[in-house]
Amino acid sequence: MHYYRYSNAEVSCWYKYLLFSYNIVFWLAGVAFLGAGLWAWSEKGVLSDLTKVTRLHGIDPVVLVLIVGVVMFTLGFAGCVGALRENICLLKFFCGTIVLIFFLELAVAVLAFLFQDWVRDRFREFFESNIRAYRDDIDLQNLIDSLQKANQCCGAYGPEDWDLNVYFNCSGASYSREKCGVPFSCCVPDPAQKVVNTQCGYDVRTQLKSKWDEFIFTKGCIQALEGWLPRNIYIVAGIFIAISLLQIFGIFLAKTLISDIEAVKAGHHF
C-alpha cells in the first residue's frame, strides 16, 4: 500500500488582497503624479523640446514630480501584479525596493543630523542656483514664491541674494524694470489690499537698508527654515514615523505572501 503526503500549506487570501489594496493606492497615486507632471510639461512646451530641461540653470519641480510618479507607478504595478499572480520575482522586487528606500531615508536623516553645516551649505548653493533661474521656469518661480510667502523670508540669507538674478541685480549694466527689487513674495502683506500687488518689490533695495523691513521680509529662508524645524519637530517626526510604518507594513505583507507561495510550491514536490 502506498501513502501519499498532502501539504496543508496555502496562500493566504487575506494577505494577498491586502497587499493588492495597499499597492493599488500607490499605483493610482503614481498615475496621478505622472499625469500631472506630463500635463505641466506639455503646458510649458517641454514635451516638444526636452532640451529645455537641460538648459534650465535651476531645478524644474516637475522633474521631481515625475520621478516620484515613476517610482510609485513601478512599485505599485509590481506589487499589484505580484500579489494577484503570486509572482515571487515581482514581490521580491517590490519588497527589496521598499527596503532600499527605507534605509536610504534613514541614512539621509542621520547624515543630515550629523553634518548640519554641510547640509546648510548645500541648501544655500541649491537655493542660490534656483534664484538665478527664477524667471526661467514658471513652476520654479511659483515654488520659490510659495516658500518665501509661507516662511515670511526673502532670499537664502537675505534680500541681497536677489542680486544673483539678472533681472533683480542692482548693477549699472541691468536695464530691467525689476532692477534693485525683489519678487512680490518678499513683500510684507498689506491687510487692506485684496488684490496682490506684484510690483510691490520694485526699487525696494534702492532705499536705505534700515527701511527695508517696512516693505519686505529681511530674514533669509535658510534661517526661517532652521527656526521652523524646532517648532514643528513633532509634526516632522510624526510624518517620518507614519511613512516608515507604512513601508514596514508593506514589507511585512510582501514577505509573508512570498513565504506562503514558497511553502505551497515546496508542498507540490511531495
Side-chain angles (χ1 to χ4, degrees):
M1 182 178 291
H2 298 281
Y3 294 93
Y4 296 93
R5 179 179 175 183
Y6 296 93
S7 174
N8 293 323
E10 62 179 15
V11 176
S12 171
C13 290
W14 170 255
Y15 288 123
K16 178 177 178 177
Y17 290 106
L18 192 57
L19 182 61
F20 172 79
S21 302
Y22 175 93
N23 280 283
I24 196 68
V25 174
F26 285 95
W27 184 77
L28 291 174
V31 171
F33 275 104
L34 284 173
L38 292 174
W39 173 81
W41 266 6
S42 68
E43 289 292 303
K44 294 190 294 185
V46 175
L47 292 180
S48 57
D49 183 11
L50 292 176
T51 59
K52 288 184 178 180
V53 179
T54 58
R55 292 200 301 266
L56 183 65
H57 296 294
I59 186 171
D60 186 351
V62 177
V63 173
L64 298 179
V65 173
L66 288 172
I67 291 173
V68 172
V70 168
V71 172
M72 295 183 72
F73 178 89
T74 304
L75 287 178
F77 179 81
C80 286
V81 176
L84 287 180
R85 302 296 299 174
E86 299 178 7
N87 187 301
I88 291 180
C89 289
L90 287 176
L91 290 174
K92 285 184 175 180
F93 168 77
F94 166 79
C95 185
T97 307
I98 293 291
V99 170
L100 177 63
I101 292 173
F102 175 79
F103 281 109
L104 283 175
E105 291 170 350
L106 195 59
V108 168
V110 171
L111 291 174
F113 178 77
L114 295 176
F115 302 99
Q116 295 181 29
D117 291 337
W118 183 86
V119 172
R120 188 182 296 109
D121 290 341
R122 298 293 79 73
F123 185 77
R124 175 183 58 79
E125 293 173 2
F126 173 77
F127 201 97
E128 288 177 351
S129 68
N130 285 289
I131 284 176
R132 294 186 183 92
Y134 177 76
R135 290 296 189 201
D136 298 345
D137 184 82
I138 187 62
D139 292 317
L140 176 61
Q141 182 176 312
N142 291 334
L143 180 63
I144 293 176
D145 285 335
S146 299
L147 177 65
Q148 293 190 145
K149 284 192 292 185
N151 293 280
Q152 297 186 345
C153 59
C154 188
Y157 281 102
E160 295 96 334
D161 290 331
W162 283 98
D163 271 335
L164 296 169
N165 186 279
V166 65
Y167 295 99
F168 298 98
N169 191 286
C170 283
S171 67
S174 175
Y175 296 98
S176 169
R177 179 61 190 89
E178 296 175 308
K179 176 181 177 180
C180 260
V182 291
F184 75 95
S185 54
C186 286
C187 296
V188 175
D190 184 354
Q193 287 185 341
K194 295 183 178 180
V195 179
V196 176
N197 179 11
T198 57
Q199 300 180 359
C200 60
Y202 284 13
D203 303 319
V204 167
R205 290 188 293 128
T206 59
Q207 303 182 41
L208 292 175
K209 195 171 182 179
S210 58
K211 294 185 177 180
W212 285 5
D213 57 1
E214 298 177 16
F215 307 100
I216 61 174
F217 304 121
T218 55
K219 179 172 59 177
C221 290
I222 291 179
Q223 295 99 312
L225 290 173
E226 286 177 342
W228 176 89
L229 187 57
R231 294 194 307 269
N232 298 273
I233 189 65
Y234 293 113
I235 296 175
V236 174
I239 293 173
F240 180 79
I241 291 171
I243 293 173
S244 299
L245 290 176
L246 277 173
Q247 291 172 333
I248 292 171
F249 182 60
I251 294 168
F252 166 75
L253 290 177
K255 293 291 287 183
T256 303
L257 191 56
I258 290 171
S259 297
D260 284 356
I261 296 170
E262 288 177 340
V264 170
K265 286 186 175 181
H268 288 165
H269 294 295
F270 291 101

